[in-house]
């Protein structure tokens, strides 16, 4: 492995840690991840969230879990189309009623 490949690998690892930290801290709050590896951060996050995962797949389990939580928290609001058309305006209908 040459120096350029090592640099790329370190940069990828740092980017993955930052991405996981950003997603995880939304749900469990801020935590010190400076000395954690990616796998260690996943283990910590899973423990805090109360999720069980197989040893070799903790990172992918946590990422999938967090992605599912993010999608579940997004709400979609639908409204009716246009209100029913009525003759006259509000004042005419309520104050000038024909008896």
């Amino acid at each position: 492995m040459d120096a350029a490949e090592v640099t790329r690998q370190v940069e990828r690892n740092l980017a993955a840690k930052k991405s996981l930290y950003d997603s995880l801290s939304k749900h469990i709050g801020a935590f010190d991840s400076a000395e954690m590896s990616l796998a260690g951060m996943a283990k910590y996050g899973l423990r805090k969230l109360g999720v069980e995962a197989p040893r070799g797949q903790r990172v992918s389990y946590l990422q999938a879990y967090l992605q599912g939580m993010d999608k579940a928290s997004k709400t979609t609001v639908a409204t009716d189309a246009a209100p029913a058309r009525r003759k006259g305006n509000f004042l005419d209908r309520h104050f000038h009623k024909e008896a």
Side-chain angles (χ1 to χ4, degrees), residues 80-95:
D80 291 338
R85 299 286 180 210
R86 296 182 182 165
K87 291 186 179 182
N89 62 29
F90 177 81
L91 294 174
D92 289 340
R93 286 194 315 269
H94 294 283
F95 292 114

Side-chain angles (χ1 to χ4, degrees), residues 20-29 31 40-53 58-70:
L20 184 60
Y21 176 83
D22 290 344
S23 296
L24 186 56
S25 64
K26 290 178 192 173
H27 300 283
I28 66 169
F31 61 98
M41 191 185 310
K43 181 179 178 182
Y44 176 80
L46 289 166
R47 188 176 70 233
K48 285 289 192 178
L49 292 169
V51 176
E52 301 270 335
R58 288 181 179 146
V59 174
S60 58
Y61 262 61
L62 181 57
Q63 288 171 333
Y65 183 82
L66 292 172
Q67 190 176 31
M69 285 180 68
D70 289 341

Side-chain angles (χ1 to χ4, degrees), residues 70-79:
D70 289 341
K71 285 185 179 180
S73 68
K74 291 181 182 175
T75 57
T76 303
V77 177
T79 59

